Amino acid sequence: MISENGMSEIQSGQATDAIRHADILIVGGGLSGTMLAAQLLRLPGRRSVLVIEPRAELGRGEAYSAVELGHTLNGNAARMSVDPDNADDLTQWLTDYIAAGGWPESDEQHVPISELFPPRGIFGLYVQQRLAQAQAVGALNGSTVEHVRAEVVDLQTDDDSVRLTLSDGQRLQGDFAVLATGMFPAARTPQTESSGLNAAALDPWDVAAMQQLDPQSTVLIIGSGLTMVDAVVSLEQAGHRGPIEVFSRHGLLPHVRRQPPAWADFLAEDHSIRTPRQLVRELRRHCRDAIAQGIDWQAPLDTVRAHIARLWSQATDVQRRQFVRHVRPWWESHHHRSPPLSAELVARLHGEGRLRIQAASFKGLEPSVNGEVSIRIRRRGEAQTTVVSGAALINSSGIEYDWRRVARPLPQRLLAHGLIKPGHLALGIAAEVDGAVLDADGRAASRLFAMGPPLRGMWWESTAVTDVASQAKALAVRVATSLTL
Ligand SMILES: Cc1cc2nc3c(=O)[nH]c(=O)nc-3n(C[C@H](O)[C@H](O)[C@H](O)COP(=O)(O)OP(=O)(O)OC[C@H]3O[C@@H](n4cnc5c(N)ncnc54)[C@H](O)[C@@H]3O)c2cc1C
C-alpha cells in the first residue's frame, strides 16, 4: 500500500510466521528516525532500512502532526534546517513552498522567509519531502526505506543480529537497530495515570474538544512551558474567552524568541568554565554587558547552546543535579522561548487579566463536583494545600524521561532484558558518544544504538531539530561503516 507521503507501507494486522530481514531497523519514525533513514539513503552503498512507526505518516511524531497554523516551530526558519551542512535548507524549501501557493497566511507577517516561524504541520511536510528526495538518491544505489506501521513491543539481540517483535505479531530481524523513540509524555506514566490526571485532562492540541467547552468557563492548566503556550493558542482558536489559570512550580513563563545579533562565543574562548555555578555567573555577566551596550540579552544566551552538550557530559552527577535543581527552570524559560505570535497572545491575555500564572505545585486530582474538574495544589511558600476547580484541565507538565516509569512495552522489556540502563540522573538511557547503547552492566552494544530524546542524560539538549539532525548524520555514518565491516 502507498501512504499519503508516498512511502510503501506494511499495514499492521498482516502477521506472518516468517521473519523479515533488513540491514537496519529504526524504531520510531518521528523526526529522528526519518532523518536517520534519509541520511542512510544518501550515503554510498546499498542498504535496506525498515522504519517501524505506528503513526500513519513518517516524519511527524507528536510535534509535527500539528494541524493548527498557530502551533508553530519555536525557532524561525533560519534556525530549523534538517540539513546540518546547509543552515538555509528550510528557508529554501519554504521559499519554494510559499511561491507554489502553500501557507498563504505567511504574507501577513511582512518579514523575510528566513525569519518566519513555520507551522509545525508544514515543517512535517518539509521533513517528508526531504526523505522522498533521499529515497530518490538511495534508489540509484538500490537502497530502500519502508515504513512498517506498528509498535515495537520487544527487542532482543544476539552476536549476529537484532530481533524485533511488533504489536501485530510480526517479527523483524536486522543487522543493527536504532532506538529513535522520542519523548514519552509525563501524563502517560503510571504515577500520573493512577492519579487520574490523564483521563481528566484535555489534549493541549485538541481544538475540536475545546470547542465543546462553555466559552466563558474557567480552564486550568498545569505547567507553564511551551506546551502551555500551545494550549492557550488552541483555546483561543476554539473560541474560548474565559479565565485561564496556569499553575507551575516556579510560575515562570517562557520568554519570547527574538532575533538577537551575534555575540562573542565566550565559552569557546574560556574552557575554565565547567560548573553550573560558573556558567550562570559568567552568562549573567555577559547578559549585563549586552544590556549595558543596548544589545539584546538573548545574544549572549544563544551562544551557550552549542556548548551545553560538552558542559553536561563533562560535569559530575553532583553538578548535573545542581543544574537540574537550580538552573533548569530558569534555563527552560529563557532558552526554550516562545514563537512571537504565540507569546503576543499569552502576553495579551495576561495583560487583560484573563490568564493568571501562579507558582504552585500540583498535588493531585480531587473528585469532580457539578461536572467541574478539581485539583489540589500547593502554592509556593504556603504550607497548606488548596483545591481549585474549572470546566476543564490541560496537562502540559512535560515529558517523562525516566524509562523505568514509562508504561510502554518496549522500554519495560529492554530494562527487563538488561539491554539498557538509565542515563545520568535517570534521564533517558545510557550510551556511548557514538550512540551505542549501554547494557545493564555498562557494556556498549555492538548492534543497538539510540538517538534523540532517549539520550537526554548524555547530552541534556538532545531533542531540538538541530540536535536530532546532526545526530542523524553522525549515526548514519557510524552504522553504515559497521555494516560494511
Ligand atoms: C509539541 C512539540 C513541539 C515541538 N516543537 C519543537 C520546535 O518548535 N523546535 C524544535 O527544535 N523542537 C521541537 N520539539 C522537540 C521535538 O521533540 C523534536 O524536534 C523531534 O520531534 C524529536 O523527534 P523524535 O523523532 O526523536 O521524537 P518524536 O517526534 O517523539 O517521535 C518518536 C516516534 O517514535 C514512535 N515510537 C515510540 N515508541 C515506539 C515503539 N516502541 N515502536 C515504534 N515506534 C515508536 C512514536 O510513535 C513517535 O512517532 C517539539 C516537541 C513537541 C512534543
Side-chain angles (χ1 to χ4, degrees):
M1 162 177 182
I2 303 296
S3 72
E4 284 166 54
N5 55 11
M7 299 285 300
S8 75
E9 176 192 286
I10 303 160
Q11 279 292 345
S12 126
Q14 292 178 344
T16 69
D17 287 339
I19 300 185
R20 272 194 85 193
H21 182 272
D23 295 322
I24 301 149
L25 305 171
I26 301 178
V27 184
L31 178 67
S32 295
T34 304
M35 279 303 104
L36 176 63
Q39 292 286 355
L40 285 165
L41 287 166
R42 287 185 180 280
L43 290 175
R46 176 185 177 148
R47 58 194 66 86
S48 57
V49 180
L50 297 179
V51 184
I52 305 95
E53 165 60 56
R55 289 176 194 269
E57 295 180 41
L58 295 185
R60 292 195 179 272
E62 177 79 68
Y64 312 114
S65 296
V67 290
E68 294 298 324
L69 289 179
H71 292 154
T72 69
L73 290 179
N74 58 14
N76 55 305
R79 293 167 181 265
M80 294 286 158
S81 162
V82 296
D83 182 349
D85 300 319
N86 177 13
D88 295 328
D89 190 58
L90 174 57
T91 306
Q92 288 157 359
W93 179 87
L94 210 51
T95 304
D96 294 343
Y97 181 70
I98 291 170
W103 192 20
E105 298 80 358
S106 61
D107 272 359
E108 293 158 20
Q109 297 188 37
H110 308 293
V111 294
I113 290 180
S114 61
E115 289 178 26
L116 288 169
F117 287 68
R120 295 201 299 272
I122 291 178
F123 181 84
L125 194 61
Y126 156 66
V127 173
Q128 291 179 341
Q129 291 194 3
R130 287 301 182 243
L131 175 64
Q133 282 179 342
Q135 279 185 290
V137 173
L140 301 174
N141 294 323
S143 289
T144 57
V145 167
E146 269 184 49
H147 175 192
V148 180
R149 197 168 167 202
E151 179 179 359
V152 176
V153 293
D154 201 3
L155 183 155
Q156 312 241 20
T157 59
D158 56 36
D159 287 348
D160 305 317
S161 67
V162 183
R163 280 162 288 116
L164 305 185
T165 307
L166 310 192
S167 45
D168 59 8
Q170 283 190 76
R171 285 177 302 150
L172 307 177
Q173 187 177 41
D175 291 0
F176 297 94
V178 177
L179 301 171
T181 47
M183 306 193 285
F184 298 100
R188 283 186 206 147
T189 61
Q191 256 203 347
T192 42
E193 246 168 22
S194 63
S195 79
L197 183 57
N198 199 25
L202 282 180
D203 179 331
W205 300 285
D206 191 347
V207 172
M210 294 176 193
Q211 281 167 340
Q212 308 307 311
L213 295 172
D214 171 355
Q216 298 306 327
S217 60
T218 299
V219 174
L220 314 177
I221 303 185
I222 304 170
S224 66
L226 292 175
T227 303
M228 177 280 291
V229 173
D230 265 6
V232 172
V233 170
S234 306
L235 283 166
E236 183 74 5
Q237 175 73 26
H240 178 261
R241 298 294 177 264
I244 301 172
E245 300 282 356
V246 179
F247 305 96
S248 84
R249 227 169 275 158
H250 296 87
L252 296 172
L253 281 174
H255 285 270
V256 60
R257 182 170 289 289
R258 293 185 292 270
Q259 319 278 1
W263 185 263
D265 189 353
F266 62 96
L267 287 169
E269 289 156 14
D270 185 355
H271 277 251
S272 69
I273 300 168
R274 295 175 82 92
T275 68
R277 198 167 288 156
Q278 286 171 325
L279 172 65
V280 171
R281 200 187 312 123
E282 215 32 35
L283 182 54
R284 284 210 167 117
R285 190 172 69 75
H286 278 268
C287 288
R288 276 196 305 270
D289 285 355
I291 292 166
Q293 294 171 40
I295 294 174
D296 195 329
W297 57 262
Q298 296 189 359
L301 184 77
D302 284 358
T303 64
V304 174
R305 182 66 168 81
H307 300 280
I308 277 292
R310 172 178 61 80
L311 291 167
W312 178 266
S313 58
Q314 283 174 350
T316 62
D317 267 357
V318 171
Q319 291 169 338
R320 292 187 187 109
R321 255 183 225 106
Q322 278 173 354
F323 178 85
V324 171
R325 201 176 160 81
H326 303 295
V327 185
R328 179 186 185 170
W330 181 86
W331 175 255
E332 295 296 333
S333 67
H334 286 71
H335 176 70
H336 295 284
R337 303 199 288 272
S338 184
L341 291 179
S342 314
E344 253 173 50
L345 173 67
V346 170
R348 177 167 63 76
L349 300 187
H350 193 237
E352 288 169 1
R354 247 184 71 204
L355 183 144
R356 280 205 311 161
I357 171 135
Q358 301 184 48
S361 42
F362 170 71
K363 292 291 164 198
L365 201 61
E366 291 290 302
S368 153
V369 181
N370 302 329
E372 291 216 308
V373 186
S374 298
I375 57 171
R376 184 170 290 277
I377 55 151
R378 187 158 60 76
R379 294 195 175 86
R380 208 168 180 191
E382 289 182 5
Q384 80 283 11
T385 59
T386 314
V387 174
V388 289
S389 302
L393 172 70
I394 297 174
N395 177 20
S396 63
S397 61
I399 308 300
E400 181 55 81
Y401 283 104
D402 184 346
W403 281 36
R404 295 169 305 186
R405 292 153 53 118
V406 174
R408 301 300 312 160
L410 185 62
Q412 292 302 322
R413 296 229 169 97
L414 286 168
L415 284 163
H417 297 325
L419 287 175
I420 57 171
K421 68 173 205 164
H424 293 304
L425 311 192
L427 295 168
I429 58 176
E432 294 281 12
V433 172
D434 65 358
V437 164
L438 300 188
D439 70 12
D441 297 323
R443 285 181 306 242
S446 56
R447 299 191 173 274
L448 183 60
F449 295 83
M451 66 172 293
L455 301 185
R456 169 83 156 173
M458 186 139 125
W459 303 123
W460 181 252
E461 292 291 346
S462 185
T463 299
V465 169
T466 43
D467 301 322
V468 163
S470 49
Q471 284 183 25
K473 187 176 176 206
L475 188 55
V477 173
R478 168 71 179 84
V479 174
T481 308
S482 295
L483 253 181
T484 52
L485 292 178

